[in-house]
């Protein structure tokens, strides 16, 4: 029981973070409004999840100006991609371990 | 993107709750100390997750005395079992959707 739960990564527990990482596994670099629209999150909620993932060094953030408008983009780091893969593998183990009972 | 995230159930987001439900899919009724040992959680942490799952009507709780000692046991309700299955299916979708990129 404990074994495969150990590899479940608290940084990816929430639905929002699963969503953010899923987007960034497919698209190399995405801006705030695209993430917001794709995941249907509020500004504050999205910002706080992005900050947590950045602090874990799973995201790399770039702040630029497009004309006079600030534009912040996000990319998954290699560390973040690997950690997310490990997390998905742990979830897969959890699912497989539950399958006989489903 | 949004579709399969919609079926991810916030009640099961944390590792502790995934663990609790996994145990209760296999064993019909389990007491507090067994859950605590199996999942390596503190009393307070386990109790708060159990309470949340009970409030969602995913667990059915029974309080008894064995001699003079109180003994509390937990079982997954049918609602809880179905909700957990749906959650695991949503996680599986998430994994499959990420697979081409892993």
């Amino acid at each position: 029981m404990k074994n495969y739960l150990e590899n479940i990564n608290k940084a990816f527990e929430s639905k929002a973070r699963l969503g953010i990482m899923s987007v960034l596994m497919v698209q190399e670099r995405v801006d705030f409004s695209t993430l917001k629209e794709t995941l249907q999150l509020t500004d504050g909620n999205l910002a706080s999840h992005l900050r947590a993932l950045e602090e874990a060094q799973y995201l790399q953030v770039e702040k630029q100006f497009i004309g006079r408008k600030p534009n912040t983009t996000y990319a998954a780091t290699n560390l973040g991609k690997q950690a997310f893969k490990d997390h998905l593998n742990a979830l897969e183990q959890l699912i497989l371990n539950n399958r006989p009972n489903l």
Side-chain angles (χ1 to χ4, degrees), chain A residues 10-69:
Chain A
K10 276 193 163 293
F12 301 128
E13 265 178 2
S14 78
K15 186 197 289 207
R17 297 193 196 169
L18 290 173
I20 292 166
M21 292 306 295
S22 296
V23 172
L24 295 177
M25 295 300 277
V26 190
Q27 291 178 261
E28 198 46 51
R29 184 163 284 284
V30 175
D31 67 11
F32 191 89
S33 14
T34 306
L35 281 172
K36 196 188 145 177
E37 272 162 45
T38 311
L39 302 170
Q40 304 273 311
L41 295 170
T42 62
D43 281 26
N45 198 2
L46 176 57
S48 96
H49 287 298
L50 288 169
R51 204 176 313 118
L53 291 171
E54 188 190 357
E55 277 164 14
Q57 307 192 334
Y58 292 161
L59 294 189
Q60 191 264 324
V61 183
E62 235 170 77
K63 296 183 189 207
Q64 296 177 296
F65 279 84
I66 297 184
R68 296 182 149 200
K69 244 182 119 183

Side-chain angles (χ1 to χ4, degrees), chain A residues 42-100:
Chain A
T42 62
D43 281 26
N45 198 2
L46 176 57
S48 96
H49 287 298
L50 288 169
R51 204 176 313 118
L53 291 171
E54 188 190 357
E55 277 164 14
Q57 307 192 334
Y58 292 161
L59 294 189
Q60 191 264 324
V61 183
E62 235 170 77
K63 296 183 189 207
Q64 296 177 296
F65 279 84
I66 297 184
R68 296 182 149 200
K69 244 182 119 183
N71 183 265
T72 307
T73 57
Y74 302 84
T77 60
N78 287 336
L79 183 71
K81 286 180 186 175
Q82 188 54 54
F84 191 59
K85 284 179 204 174
D86 292 345
H87 181 69
L88 293 185
N89 287 336
L91 289 178
E92 189 174 40
Q93 271 320 108
L94 179 99
I95 293 167
L96 292 174
N97 276 282
N98 276 286
R99 270 297 181 241

